[in-house]
């Protein structure tokens, strides 16, 4: 199934609610109210729902306006909110080049990518997908299992490293994660790995001790490369909905985040939360996950996503 069709299928419950609202419209005031409620049910958030329904109220659609025309208008309005936060992250991965055309590895040192997020959001699988893209593009990534307290997490990343065919580094159970990260950059320098992909332990946003450990990882890696990490990515579960706001706020404030990857969009019927996350936090969506397969990481296309939300 093509990516757009996957999104449309997953968001069918949302788009059906909006379609029902449009087809049953009567007076303008009732229609606008019903549309606002449908958008809130789609998990776009109260503020964004009010903003979008306000746009519909301003438009004053004639009674003979087709449902498709209204859907197209609404999809365009949603896309305008999202377009500034599209990212060419996956394209840059393929070429390992920055927007200026320079190699993203700094002065010959490896490009360090730090993956953060809470348990179960899909960090490990997302890293494997990124490693696959890099390997396919003739690069030498190293996967680093910095969750040293969960043997299952280490084994999962080791499985993916073997599956993709890339280098892998771990430490003994309970070892210092920051020390392992320092070692990984040293080994990458020595072995010619041009990207270091660090999988961290799942941090609940209300655990200050765990967040402090993550801050330590960032401090320690700067001792060997003061420009690292070159990107910090927060992985969010698309099923989480509005609760994801709390995760974004804490990780932004505590460790800094350069962008988000939203996973499991193939399994949620309320994917509108991406709209409110972007609107509130002004953070780019680097990619979206649409399945468990190694190829199931895609560029976030604002217009396709908006059309999926409204069923256009």
């Amino acid at each position: 199934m093509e990516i757009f069709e996957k999104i449309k299928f997953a968001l069918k419950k949302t788009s059906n609610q909006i379609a029902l609202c449009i087809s049953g419209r009567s007076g303008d005031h009732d229609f606008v109210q019903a549309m606002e409620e449908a958008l809130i049910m789609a998990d776009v958030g109260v503020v964004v729902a009010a903003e979008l329904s306000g746009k519909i109220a301003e438009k004053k659609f004639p009674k003979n306006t087709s449902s498709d025309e209204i859907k197209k208008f609404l999809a365009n309005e949603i896309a305008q909110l999202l377009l500034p936060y599209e990212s060419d992250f996956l394209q840059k991965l393929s070429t390992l080049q920055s927007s200026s055309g320079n190699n993203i590895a700094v002065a010959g040192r490896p490009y360090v990518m730090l993956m953060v997020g809470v348990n179960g959001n899909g960090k490990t699988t997302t890293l494997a997908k990124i490693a696959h893209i890099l390997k396919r593009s003739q690069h030498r990534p190293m996967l680093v299992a910095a969750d040293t307290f969960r043997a299952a997490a280490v084994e999962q990343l080791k499985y993916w490293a073997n599956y993709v065919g890339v280098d892998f580094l771990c430490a003994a159970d309970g070892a210092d994660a920051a020390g392992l990260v320092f070692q990984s950059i040293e080994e990458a320098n020595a072995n010619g790995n041009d990207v270091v992909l660090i999988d961290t332990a799942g941090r609940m946003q209300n655990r200050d001790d765990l967040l402090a450990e993550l801050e330590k990882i960032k401090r320690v890696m700067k001792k060997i490369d003061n420009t690292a990490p070159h990107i910090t990515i927060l992985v969010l579960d698309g099923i989480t909905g509005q609760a994801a706001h709390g995760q974004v706020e804490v990780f932004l404030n505590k460790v800094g985040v350069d962008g988000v990857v939203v996973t499991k969009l193939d399994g949620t019927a309320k994917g509108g939360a991406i709209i409110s996350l972007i609107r509130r936090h002004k953070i780019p969506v680097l990619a979206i996950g649409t399945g468990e397969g190694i190829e199931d990481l895609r560029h976030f296309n604002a217009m396709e996503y908006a059309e999926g939300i409204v069923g256009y």
Side-chain angles (χ1 to χ4, degrees):
M1 187 184 294
E2 291 296 323
I3 176 64
F4 181 43
E5 292 305 315
K6 275 189 174 183
I7 292 175
K8 285 184 73 174
F9 181 78
L11 297 175
K12 198 162 185 61
K13 182 177 178 182
T14 294
S15 59
N16 283 348
Q17 290 168 346
I18 291 174
L20 186 63
C21 174
I22 292 172
S23 63
R25 68 192 181 100
S26 51
D28 285 345
H29 176 71
D30 290 341
F31 171 55
V32 171
Q33 267 197 326
M35 180 59 73
E36 184 172 356
E37 290 171 8
L39 289 166
I40 290 172
M41 290 178 68
D43 223 16
V44 305
V46 174
V47 173
V48 176
E51 185 176 338
L52 291 171
S53 59
K55 295 281 187 181
I56 290 172
E58 290 172 12
K59 184 68 175 176
K60 298 186 184 300
F61 288 103
K63 287 186 177 180
N64 62 348
T65 304
S66 70
S67 293
D68 276 351
E69 287 179 86
I70 298 174
K71 288 179 183 178
K72 182 179 180 180
F73 173 82
L74 185 56
N76 282 332
E77 291 297 325
I78 292 172
Q80 291 309 306
L81 294 177
L82 302 178
L83 278 168
Y85 304 98
E86 281 187 349
S87 168
D88 61 352
F89 172 70
L90 293 184
Q91 181 183 354
K92 288 179 182 178
L93 277 183
S94 299
T95 60
L96 269 185
Q97 288 183 338
S98 66
S99 56
S100 63
N102 298 320
N103 195 286
I104 60 175
V106 181
R109 297 190 296 274
Y111 185 78
V112 181
M113 185 181 304
L114 187 66
M115 195 73 73
V116 301
V118 305
N119 282 326
N121 280 8
K123 294 189 305 300
T124 302
T125 307
T126 299
L127 270 184
K129 294 172 183 177
I130 291 172
H132 174 65
I133 293 171
L134 291 165
K135 175 74 181 299
R136 192 174 54 194
S137 302
Q138 308 303 310
H139 296 287
R140 289 195 59 194
M142 174 193 287
L143 284 171
V144 181
D147 183 352
T148 59
F149 288 93
R150 286 179 60 237
V154 175
E155 287 302 312
Q156 184 187 15
L157 193 65
K158 184 178 181 180
Y159 163 81
W160 281 117
N162 290 334
Y163 184 88
V164 176
V166 299
D167 292 335
F168 172 73
L169 187 66
C170 65
D173 289 352
D176 178 44
L180 174 65
V181 168
F182 187 92
Q183 178 189 347
S184 72
I185 299 173
E186 279 192 319
E187 291 202 11
N189 276 321
N191 298 334
N193 299 101
D194 50 7
V195 187
V196 176
L197 308 172
I198 300 169
D199 187 20
T200 63
R203 263 89 181 164
M204 294 305 293
Q205 65 268 25
N206 59 352
R207 288 288 303 274
D208 288 341
D209 56 332
L210 296 179
L211 288 164
E213 184 186 79
L214 194 52
E215 290 174 305
K216 179 184 176 183
I217 288 173
K218 295 190 79 168
R219 287 196 309 272
V220 167
M221 70 173 65
K222 288 186 181 299
K223 293 180 179 180
I224 193 168
D225 182 352
N226 62 8
T227 65
H230 302 106
I231 188 167
T232 301
I233 300 172
L234 173 62
V235 179
L236 298 170
D237 185 332
I239 301 172
T240 305
Q242 294 299 305
H245 281 289
Q247 295 177 32
V248 175
E249 287 172 359
V250 171
F251 282 99
L252 273 173
N253 293 334
K254 290 286 187 178
V255 297
V257 173
D258 298 302
V260 299
V261 172
V262 184
T263 63
K264 308 177 189 177
L265 277 183
D266 57 318
T268 178
K270 300 182 75 175
I274 288 182
I275 304 169
S276 61
L277 284 168
I278 288 175
R279 187 77 174 80
R280 181 170 169 181
H281 302 289
K282 315 295 185 189
I283 189 168
V285 179
L286 304 178
I288 55 175
T290 57
E292 290 296 317
I294 199 69
E295 301 280 352
D296 293 330
L297 190 69
R298 295 289 187 270
H299 166 72
F300 174 69
N301 183 293
M303 182 56 76
E304 284 186 357
Y305 179 79
E307 290 176 350
I309 286 284
V310 304
Y312 177 66

